[in-house]
Amino acid sequence: MKSILVALFLFANVFLYSKSFNNINDKATYYKNRYKVNCLNEKITDNFGNGFDDLYGTRNMKTILFGIAYRGGANNYYHKTNKRDNQNPLPEDGLNNLCSEGFSSAIYLYGTNFSKVENKVFISANSDTLRYIQNSGMSRKTQEDIIKMIKERIDEPSLGPVYLHCWNGWHQSGYVSAMILMQFCGYSNQQARTYWEQNTDGAYKKFDNVKKMIANFTPFQNYKIDKEISDLICPCMKK
């Protein structure tokens, strides 16, 4: 009897983590329930990287679009076993954990030390694959590259979510998230700036270049989505 229960437990976990969704509703609902967050400002992992143990290695992780895109930082300075300078890419356990959670891509929004990352492709026990790339999103071309990647994951539910990260999970990830919300959730430039400020943990008084990028962003017309879809994937924004 015990062996049967163990087998059922293992099967259930394989089913749970082998994420292949047939529609966007199932995908959004799964990740919303898994991380138990409803709004943009709710943290999945906190400033010290704690909270959701299966995503250890991330920091200040939050939802951008349910099941599609998430933002945050890299847990380096506060890492329990592999502490290093804050200005670094994701630690390897963070990348492995994202892969095991079904994420298909992680994007490092800075360039510092990215060339030192030895492994940029990760494969989970259930054959999920995550690719780690670098893209700052600071030009129109690189903005479009990010928006196109997000749109592909909206159109094709079997593709795993994207994790977009900077160091702390405040400024650059907030800027790219603001851009995504303007593109797919109908945010105005002012709403996007308010969102950015609210999610910097109070550190928003400088960064004029980022604020200018948010103010000047215009959505790409060829990556629009229907309101029915945006209603499924766009979290609430608490005032």
Side-chain angles (χ1 to χ4, degrees):
M1 182 65 180
K2 183 177 180 180
S3 61
I4 294 174
L5 291 173
V6 170
L8 288 171
F9 174 81
L10 291 173
F11 175 80
N13 277 287
V14 169
F15 180 78
L16 178 66
Y17 290 103
S18 295
K19 302 166 195 66
S20 181
F21 300 100
N22 295 318
N23 61 75
I24 190 66
N25 181 61
D26 289 349
K27 184 179 183 181
T29 300
Y30 170 84
Y31 280 100
K32 183 178 180 180
N33 291 337
R34 178 149 179 78
Y35 301 142
K36 296 179 173 60
V37 294
N38 294 301
C39 296
L40 291 164
N41 65 321
E42 295 179 80
K43 293 185 179 183
I44 300 168
T45 56
D46 65 17
N47 192 47
F48 299 96
N50 300 318
F52 195 89
D53 290 343
D54 287 345
L55 284 168
Y56 194 77
T58 68
R59 182 170 164 239
N60 290 317
M61 184 173 176
K62 300 175 184 177
T63 306
I64 310 170
L65 302 173
F66 291 122
I68 305 296
Y70 294 80
R71 59 172 288 189
N75 187 15
N76 289 304
Y77 184 77
Y78 297 110
H79 201 286
K80 295 174 183 176
T81 59
N82 188 28
K83 183 174 179 177
R84 60 179 178 175
D85 187 82
N86 191 50
Q87 297 183 5
N88 267 296
L90 277 163
E92 190 155 313
D93 59 352
L95 289 160
N96 273 314
N97 287 336
L98 285 165
C99 183
S100 295
E101 282 291 302
F103 282 69
S104 60
S105 297
I107 302 178
Y108 183 34
L109 299 169
Y110 295 137
T112 306
N113 292 324
F114 188 70
S115 61
K116 297 180 181 179
V117 178
E118 294 182 2
N119 187 7
K120 295 184 175 69
V121 178
F122 293 80
I123 301 175
S124 74
N126 295 306
S127 299
D128 292 321
T129 300
L130 178 142
R131 287 176 172 81
Y132 194 27
I133 63 175
Q134 193 280 323
N135 183 348
S136 65
M138 295 299 282
S139 69
R140 190 64 175 170
K141 173 62 170 63
T142 55
Q143 287 176 349
E144 184 174 10
D145 289 341
I146 291 172
I147 293 298
K148 181 180 179 182
M149 180 180 286
I150 302 303
K151 180 64 161 54
E152 288 171 347
R153 280 146 184 80
I154 296 172
D155 291 341
E156 182 45 71
S158 65
L159 294 174
V162 179
Y163 182 63
L164 302 113
H165 81 93
C166 49
W167 296 327
N168 299 303
W170 298 333
H171 304 113
Q172 194 72 4
S173 63
Y175 148 65
V176 172
S177 301
M179 175 181 72
I180 292 169
L181 293 170
M182 285 187 275
Q183 178 70 44
F184 298 112
C185 299
Y187 278 43
S188 67
N189 297 81
Q190 184 55 54
Q191 287 174 317
R193 173 166 171 170
T194 299
Y195 159 78
W196 179 83
E197 290 179 351
Q198 288 179 347
N199 288 275
T200 58
D201 285 6
Y204 61 85
K205 292 185 178 180
K206 297 181 181 179
F207 307 96
D208 290 339
N209 188 41
V210 171
K211 294 173 185 176
K212 183 178 179 181
M213 294 291 292
I214 294 172
N216 291 337
F217 178 78
T218 56
F220 294 88
Q221 293 302 311
N222 52 328
Y223 298 111
K224 294 280 189 175
I225 62 172
D226 294 337
K227 185 178 184 300
E228 181 182 359
I229 300 299
S230 67
D231 287 346
L232 285 174
I233 64 176
C234 295
C236 62
M237 178 176 172
K238 288 184 178 179
K239 297 181 179 179

